[in-house]
Amino acid sequence: MRGRPIRELSKHLFVLGLLFFAFVPIYFMLEISLKDNKQFAVNPWLPTMPFHWENYALAWQQIGGTIFNTAFIAIVTTALTLVLATLGAFFFARYRVPGARWLFWLFMALMMYPPVANMVPMFKLITSLGLYNTHFALILPATAAAQAFNIYVLRNFIEDIPQDLFDAVEIDGGGALSEIRHVVVPLSLPILGTLGIISIIAQWNNFVAPLLYLRDSNLQTVSVALMNLEGEYTRDWGQLMAGYMLASLPLIALFCFCMNLFVKGLSAGAVKGE
Amino acid sequence: MGNTALHRFRTHWAAYGLILLPLALVLLFEYQVIANGIVHAFYRWDGDTVEEFVGLRNLKMLLRDPEVYHSFYVIGIFVAANLVKMLLPIVAAVVLHHIVSERFGYIYRVLFVVPMIIPSMVVILVWKYFYEPNSGMLNEFLRLIGAIGPSDTIQWLADPGLTITSLVFYGFPWVGAFGVLIYLAGLQNISRDVYEAAEIDGAGPLRVFVSIEMPLITTQIRINLILMTISAIQSWENIYLFLGTGGGPDGAATVPGLLIFREAFSHGLFGYGCAIGMVVFLITLALTIFNNQLVRVRK
């Protein structure tokens, strides 16, 4: 492919055009988050002086605590999901025991069941287990719901690990758990990372479950806190956007730490998962 | 031999131990819930004290409920719109793949991921601001260029004629999520030799796209198509964020998920909610089987 300058330039312009529109929401969020309502009314388009950094302090007062709640729920859910799914995937990948095939389909069938059909009976289960208004009401159903997909992906990876590596551990007298710790986990770190990030993002965006299952505002998640902030009758646009920024920052930070995992892991996983 | 059998038995014990916790969790929080939902589709149920078997009454009510038909009609529009929305990510991936400079190619790929890292619910809330009639960005822009008068407002979300269009358009240019990266990964599997051969044969860019690139990413397109259709049928959270429980003017944008939420948690009709849930399940199931058939035949 020889580069012809004009054709090459038009490709760059097309991509830059798409990126421009993709960044519009981020731009406005950032720029408005530093305005007071008067500046916003006069000029919503461009940053204007002075910057109102106190918007962030005020927004933090309103949603800061809920960010910690969300982080706690997301991390516990993700850890639990990955630990259990690794155990399950190891079982399905390594053991041809009676009932294993049948059990596997029991898990896989769940991928066809739409969570939306579960909304009503799940509410009933949560209340009858006494989990209403606790973080477990979010953590346990999310962990259960994630098992099928995570087991499916991890099983494919574990099946591809060469037998020799497991033999080595068995010769040293190690059982299943040490095989998982010394062989499976080190080799599946990239895919575990990708699955982990997917899980954290899902929890960060989840607002239906906290809306239904949490009552106390000190337990509430950031998603519901943002909805409440947005729904207030008189809006302070700067504070609102500052709140959106604050709610996004933990995920942005996660992205900065795991950029390569994101760009490479997702595409590699996508190709493999076909 | 006896020793081996014993060994195998002990290994099996450990093996079943591995699956015990995931299984317990799934049985309680998935299968129990599913069974309960199916059973209560035949009940009058307020989620609390009223619990009475009513046979097929929910189903009959559902078949006569114009809101139910309307909700599936709305979801049909969204699915059709999503088909069109799949085009830009494909084009973006192909163009990105053809950018000669490796450095820019990498920078662009990273930049495509950045918008995706903003939580999708925040993106929706920002778009809700764009659509806001009085001080929203969209109307301000139209006032700026003089398309509407200084005190005119367009009710992007509250005007029955615009609600669905606005909901389809949000997220433009729809290149976020995994689409672009997945297609790109497929395209990068095409070896240089194929391109060189095409060039020797005098194939132009369009020919290369149709004959070489499209066939090689059809798998990815099909996977995305399946995932998109299934998730579109189930999605309702975005509508709730934009329009609240009511689903817009006269419930114009009420989708099945939102209808379940409303019937159960606003009207206390838990059994009816379960029944609508069953219909969504059956449609998803039919589509999944159809999709699997499609994939198998083509392979």
Side-chain angles (χ1 to χ4, degrees):
Chain A
M1 287 189 284
R2 275 168 286 120
R4 268 158 282 185
I6 291 184
R7 186 188 287 174
E8 203 54 30
L9 184 69
S10 60
K11 290 179 212 163
H12 284 266
L13 286 179
F14 176 76
V15 171
L16 285 171
L18 285 182
L19 283 171
F20 170 80
F21 284 108
F23 273 85
V24 161
I26 301 177
Y27 167 76
F28 277 98
M29 188 162 66
L30 193 62
E31 168 253 327
I32 296 173
S33 74
L34 293 168
K35 290 179 190 288
D36 61 19
N37 263 358
K38 205 187 282 171
Q39 287 170 305
F40 173 74
V42 173
N43 181 355
W45 307 104
L46 296 166
T48 43
M49 294 304 237
F51 289 152
H52 288 272
W53 293 103
E54 74 273 12
N55 283 346
Y56 280 84
L58 292 166
W60 177 259
Q61 278 174 14
Q62 287 169 290
I63 65 162
T66 61
I67 290 183
F68 286 111
N69 288 339
T70 301
F72 172 78
I73 292 163
I75 289 168
V76 174
T77 303
T78 303
L80 205 57
T81 299
L82 291 181
V83 168
L84 293 183
T86 306
L87 295 179
F90 185 81
F91 171 78
F92 290 122
R94 301 283 306 162
Y95 296 101
R96 298 283 172 265
V97 294
R101 252 180 80 85
W102 188 82
L103 280 173
F104 185 66
W105 286 109
L106 196 71
F107 277 88
M108 290 308 111
L110 286 175
M111 284 205 274
M112 283 193 288
Y113 200 81
V116 64
N118 274 349
M119 202 170 4
V120 179
M122 183 67 88
F123 180 79
K124 192 68 202 164
L125 178 68
I126 295 294
T127 45
S128 60
L129 287 177
L131 297 177
Y132 181 75
N133 205 26
T134 69
H135 284 161
F136 286 112
L138 276 65
I139 293 169
L140 293 176
T143 306
Q147 288 305 302
F149 174 70
N150 283 272
I151 284 179
Y152 173 74
V153 173
L154 285 170
R155 188 190 80 140
N156 282 348
F157 266 77
I158 296 171
E159 274 183 340
D160 286 348
I161 298 174
Q163 178 63 35
D164 308 359
L165 296 174
F166 293 110
D167 290 344
V169 177
E170 271 169 41
I171 289 167
D172 290 345
L177 289 180
S178 67
E179 282 178 17
I180 290 174
R181 211 172 64 199
H182 297 297
V183 179
V184 172
V185 171
L187 287 176
S188 331
L189 268 187
I191 191 66
L192 283 172
T194 307
L195 290 171
I197 289 171
I198 292 174
S199 162
I200 286 177
I201 292 177
Q203 286 315 306
W204 216 268
N205 285 309
N206 186 0
F207 70 89
V208 178
L211 200 64
L212 288 177
Y213 306 139
L214 299 178
R215 184 187 52 221
D216 294 354
S217 55
N218 63 330
L219 292 177
Q220 204 44 274
T221 64
V222 69
S223 47
V224 174
L226 289 183
M227 280 174 67
N228 293 339
L229 205 60
E230 199 270 341
E232 277 173 15
Y233 190 68
T234 47
R235 293 198 190 92
D236 186 309
W237 291 101
Q239 269 180 49
L240 188 62
M241 294 294 163
Y244 295 170
M245 281 301 296
L246 286 176
S248 310
L249 281 176
L251 287 193
I252 296 173
L254 188 72
F255 166 68
C256 293
F257 282 117
C258 324
M259 187 160 67
N260 266 328
L261 208 68
F262 245 93
V263 178
K264 287 182 189 147
L266 279 181
S267 14
V271 173
K272 209 187 141 49
E274 64 185 56
Chain B
M1 271 331 250
N3 198 13
T4 324
L6 186 70
H7 177 75
R8 278 180 66 91
F9 180 69
R10 277 169 52 189
T11 326
H12 285 192
W13 263 117
Y16 289 116
L18 292 170
I19 198 68
L20 203 65
L21 272 174
L23 187 64
L25 208 58
V26 158
L27 285 180
L28 180 60
F29 284 96
E30 294 284 318
Y31 279 99
Q32 189 276 339
V33 172
I34 292 171
N36 207 15
I38 295 174
V39 167
H40 279 95
F42 304 98
Y43 272 72
R44 189 164 76 92
W45 187 32
D46 69 348
D48 192 22
T49 44
V50 180
E51 198 172 356
E52 172 198 358
F53 183 78
V54 292
L56 293 175
R57 208 174 70 185
N58 286 331
L59 191 70
K60 282 180 193 153
M61 195 162 118
L62 188 151
L63 289 172
R64 273 188 277 110
D65 188 346
E67 275 196 309
V68 171
Y69 289 102
H70 182 73
S71 72
F72 282 100
Y73 166 73
V74 173
I75 219 71
I77 295 179
F78 284 136
V79 170
N82 278 352
L83 288 179
V84 180
K85 290 200 230 175
M86 280 180 77
L87 210 64
L88 262 183
I90 296 174
V91 176
V94 172
V95 172
L96 213 51
H97 177 61
H98 278 277
I99 281 179
V100 176
S101 156
E102 260 179 44
R103 198 155 59 102
F104 276 105
Y106 182 75
I107 293 173
Y108 290 149
R109 250 182 304 158
V110 173
L111 286 177
F112 268 106
V113 182
V114 174
M116 170 179 138
I117 209 62
I118 304 293
S120 56
M121 92 157 278
V122 169
V123 174
I124 291 179
L125 292 177
V126 174
W127 273 86
K128 204 173 168 183
Y129 148 66
F130 287 172
Y131 286 142
E132 212 274 331
N134 295 314
S135 45
M137 190 271 275
L138 220 52
N139 280 347
E140 286 286 351
F141 181 72
L142 292 176
R143 284 177 202 126
L144 192 74
I145 62 169
I148 59 173
S151 55
D152 290 350
T153 55
I154 297 179
Q155 305 280 338
W156 295 103
L157 292 169
D159 181 336
L162 283 174
T163 314
I164 291 191
T165 316
S166 301
L167 289 174
V168 165
F169 190 76
Y170 102 85
F172 179 83
W174 318 299
V175 287
F178 309 125
V180 176
L181 289 180
I182 290 175
Y183 299 135
L184 207 54
L187 289 170
Q188 279 162 347
N189 284 342
I190 304 171
S191 78
R192 292 252 145 224
D193 304 352
V194 179
Y195 282 111
E196 276 162 20
E199 200 171 358
I200 289 166
D201 291 345
L206 192 70
R207 186 68 216 253
V208 168
F209 176 66
V210 173
S211 309
I212 301 174
E213 289 165 345
M214 269 302 266
L216 278 163
I217 53 170
T218 37
T219 321
Q220 277 85 2
I221 294 177
R222 216 154 47 212
I223 292 171
N224 267 7
L225 195 72
I226 293 171
L227 294 179
M228 182 276 287
T229 317
I230 292 174
S231 71
I233 288 171
Q234 301 176 18
S235 80
W236 63 280
E237 289 96 333
N238 47 353
I239 316 277
Y240 181 89
L241 279 177
F242 272 116
L243 302 169
T245 330
D250 293 331
T254 301
V255 289
L258 188 60
L259 194 59
I260 297 174
F261 184 83
R262 197 159 69 207
E263 294 299 348
F265 298 105
S266 301
H267 303 164
L269 300 173
F270 277 54
Y272 193 47
C274 288
I276 302 173
M278 284 311 110
V279 176
V280 178
F281 166 57
L282 290 177
I283 290 177
T284 316
L285 188 69
L287 269 173
T288 311
I289 292 169
F290 174 73
N291 279 326
N292 283 345
Q293 221 72 16
L294 207 71
V295 174
R296 208 170 294 145
V297 170
R298 293 282 183 80
K299 267 182 180 168

